[in-house]
Amino acid sequence: MDFAAIIDGVESFAAYVGELASVIGHVGRVAPLHDYCAGLLASEGRRSVEPMAALTAPAEVSVQHQRLLHFVGEADWSDARVLMKVRQLVVPVIEDGEPIKAWIIDDTSYPKQGNHSVGVHHQYCGQLGKQANCQAAVTLSIANHHASLPIAHQLYLPKAWATDTARRRKAHVPKTVRFMTKPQIALMQITAALKAGVAPGVVLMDASYGTNAGLRFGIAALGLTYAGAIVPTVKVCAVAEPQERVSVKTLALRLPKHAWRTITWREGSAEKLTSRFARVRVRTAPSKGARELGDAGRPEETLLIEWPPGEAAPTKYWLSNLPAKTKFRDLVDITKMRWRIERDYQELKQEIGLDHYEGRGWRGFHHHATLCIAAYGFLISQREKIPPSAPRAAAVLAKPALPAGYRPRGAADQAAAPRPQLNRHHASSADRRARPRPTAMPLLRPQIPANQAENFVTQ
């Protein structure tokens, strides 16, 4: 989005930032709030503070640089209040036509070279797909089939950081922050969202969260439903055969052929997404997170299995506490909605600069993420006006007529054929200008006079 269009032509951006300013605190923070969000939306390349300062205040880059650095890294404004305001502004747009269907738990990582940025540790980095030096943050998003929006974002602080007083003090980690596992952070975010009155949805999780029985039972205790991916080694017993405990992979391989159904759940980018699924009512075997419940206390869950045609074995497994009477296709549809979080992370990082922050402190890390989510929320709120974000709105916009003689840049000129009897149209005059005709030149070399030819000497 062009910066001039944001600050001059898009009145809704000023109104949007004005609403955010109502919870930002001091009036002196309004201008930096506006410029930081505009810089995130309009900058090209890396969205660090310096290029955003050059874009938003080219006449005073140094002063603007310091102003934005202070606003994002040191100013004491509440991330929770800003995210709540973003939710109030954007959720009505997301729910236009369909209510919230899902809450999505996930985490995102930020590769780092050094060891001084808050929370940096050698851990699994999803962005790189391996163990690496990185930061990791746990997020909670709300979604339906139309759109999605992150509503919570908190840095995971490894034990090495949580117990290191000197590093905590240098990075300004609040004293109230203690070591928590990622599932514990996720459950805290879910609890806070419920208290804030966020419309509930089915909680979706990947295997790093769904395999955690304690998290699943904690979600159920809050009165929520879930569909969490699990690893193939999770032990369960089918309700029909309560005495035999096997891995979900073993159970899937034993299912008869008639247990599998081919289901299409949505349109993909090129074709409809279709696969084979089976579902079985099971109870999980006692594990570290559920041992205290005993056999009788373990709730029934639905095991959903995906076995795509052509694969040698099932590829994905989920456990869900949705009612047993839930339609098969609806179960697959809601479970597969977790794909939206992957697109959110891609757009937040590539288009907004979520992973471009270069500060090292706790407050700056969270402030930058909050402002990225706020900028992303503005784009979502404008999807009815800015194609191609909203295919439904694209048809409403009038398509301007092309001028006579228009030819796209790089397109070949449609000149006449060399034989006039085949093409009676004159050659195109596009991109041509009048010029004098060149003087006629002979094509054959003139003959050398005989008296001059005799003067040549042959050696």
Side-chain angles (χ1 to χ4, degrees):
M1 184 178 292
D2 182 71
F3 178 63
I6 291 177
I7 61 176
D8 295 328
V10 183
E11 297 179 359
S12 53
F13 178 74
Y16 181 83
V17 174
E19 291 290 338
L20 299 182
S22 65
V23 297
I24 208 71
H26 195 275
V27 67
R29 299 171 184 162
V30 176
L33 168 66
H34 177 281
D35 292 345
Y36 202 96
C37 290
L40 291 172
L41 289 169
S43 297
E44 295 183 1
R46 190 162 185 83
R47 268 90 165 172
S48 56
V49 174
E50 186 172 358
M52 290 196 296
L55 176 70
T56 55
E60 48 174 12
V61 176
S62 180
V63 175
Q64 179 75 335
H65 184 229
Q66 292 301 317
R67 185 184 297 126
L68 295 182
L69 274 179
H70 175 79
F71 173 71
V72 73
E74 300 179 24
D76 186 16
W77 47 269
S78 170
D79 293 293
R81 294 187 66 189
V82 173
L83 289 175
M84 178 183 67
K85 179 57 70 172
V86 171
R87 190 172 69 246
Q88 292 173 354
L89 296 172
V90 180
V91 169
V93 179
I94 295 177
E95 291 186 318
D96 183 19
E98 183 182 38
I100 296 299
K101 294 288 187 180
W103 289 9
I104 307 174
I105 296 172
D106 208 347
D107 55 65
T108 185
S109 54
Y110 309 90
K112 293 290 182 180
Q113 295 295 328
N115 297 311
H116 300 290
S117 296
V118 62
V120 166
H121 191 65
H122 191 76
Q123 55 192 325
Y124 179 76
C125 178
Q127 183 170 330
L128 301 178
K130 62 180 181 178
Q131 295 282 329
N133 212 47
C134 67
Q135 296 168 302
V138 181
T139 67
L140 174 65
S141 298
I142 55 176
N144 58 17
H145 292 93
H146 191 40
S148 54
L149 175 74
I151 62 172
H153 179 283
Q154 179 170 322
L155 179 69
Y156 165 69
L157 198 66
K159 279 187 177 180
W161 269 88
T163 58
D164 192 328
T165 304
R167 296 175 82 184
R168 289 175 62 105
R169 185 185 305 112
K170 190 172 183 179
H172 303 287
V173 178
K175 294 181 179 180
T176 55
V177 175
R178 294 290 182 264
F179 172 75
M180 298 177 68
T181 64
K182 292 178 182 178
Q184 288 172 337
I185 295 174
L187 190 59
M188 180 185 67
Q189 292 175 334
I190 292 171
T191 303
L194 279 177
K195 290 182 178 179
V198 180
V202 180
V203 181
L204 307 180
M205 304 166 275
D206 66 10
S208 62
Y209 293 92
T211 303
N212 188 297
L215 176 59
R216 297 200 313 272
F217 297 151
I219 293 171
L222 294 172
L224 297 173
T225 54
Y226 60 80
I230 58 173
V231 295
T233 55
V234 170
K235 296 293 183 67
V236 299
C237 54
V239 172
E241 301 177 4
Q243 303 304 318
E244 185 178 14
R245 299 177 181 180
V246 295
S247 70
V248 293
K249 182 176 181 179
T250 301
L251 177 60
L253 293 174
R254 292 180 179 178
L255 292 176
K257 185 176 181 180
H258 64 78
W260 299 93
R261 280 185 53 187
T262 299
I263 295 178
T264 300
W265 63 93
R266 69 176 176 88
E267 292 283 348
S269 57
E271 58 186 8
K272 293 182 178 180
L273 300 181
T274 303
S275 188
R276 291 196 311 157
F277 297 90
R279 60 175 176 177
V280 185
R281 294 295 286 178
V282 300
R283 282 191 172 94
T284 55
S287 60
K288 185 177 180 180
R291 189 170 295 146
E292 70 280 359
L293 293 176
D295 289 352
R298 289 181 285 115
E300 286 189 15
E301 299 174 276
T302 297
L303 171 64
L304 177 66
I305 312 159
E306 180 179 0
W307 191 343
E311 295 290 339
T315 56
K316 295 179 182 178
Y317 308 84
W318 298 266
L319 283 173
S320 174
N321 68 339
L322 283 164
K325 62 182 181 180
T326 302
K327 292 181 179 179
F328 205 162
R329 188 186 182 284
D330 291 343
L331 176 62
V332 173
D333 177 72
I334 192 66
T335 300
K336 287 290 189 176
M337 198 181 290
R338 208 195 73 83
W339 73 274
R340 299 202 67 94
I341 192 66
E342 306 297 340
R343 193 189 68 172
D344 282 345
Y345 285 152
Q346 182 180 18
E347 293 183 349
L348 278 164
K349 290 182 177 182
Q350 295 182 0
E351 305 298 332
I352 307 295
L354 178 63
D355 57 345
H356 293 178
Y357 183 64
E358 297 176 351
R360 296 177 174 177
W362 175 276
R363 178 174 290 173
F365 176 87
H366 289 89
H367 278 0
H368 174 76
T370 295
L371 295 172
C372 286
I373 293 172
Y376 187 57
F378 171 72
L379 294 183
I380 294 174
S381 69
Q382 295 298 298
R383 73 177 188 274
E384 297 293 341
K385 303 177 183 178
I386 308 176
S389 300
R392 294 181 302 167
V396 179
L397 301 176
K399 185 176 180 180
L402 296 177
Y406 169 77
R407 180 164 61 93
R409 176 184 292 182
D413 184 12
Q414 298 293 332
R419 299 181 180 181
Q421 68 272 23
L422 299 179
N423 189 333
R424 299 183 180 182
H425 298 287
H426 295 292
S428 172
S429 60
D431 295 336
R432 298 184 181 182
R433 56 188 175 85
R435 64 186 72 187
R437 289 184 174 276
T439 305
M441 300 179 65
L443 298 180
L444 300 178
R445 182 189 303 174
Q447 296 293 326
I448 301 176
N451 59 348
Q452 295 183 16
E454 296 175 356
N455 293 333
F456 286 100
V457 178
T458 303
Q459 296 183 354

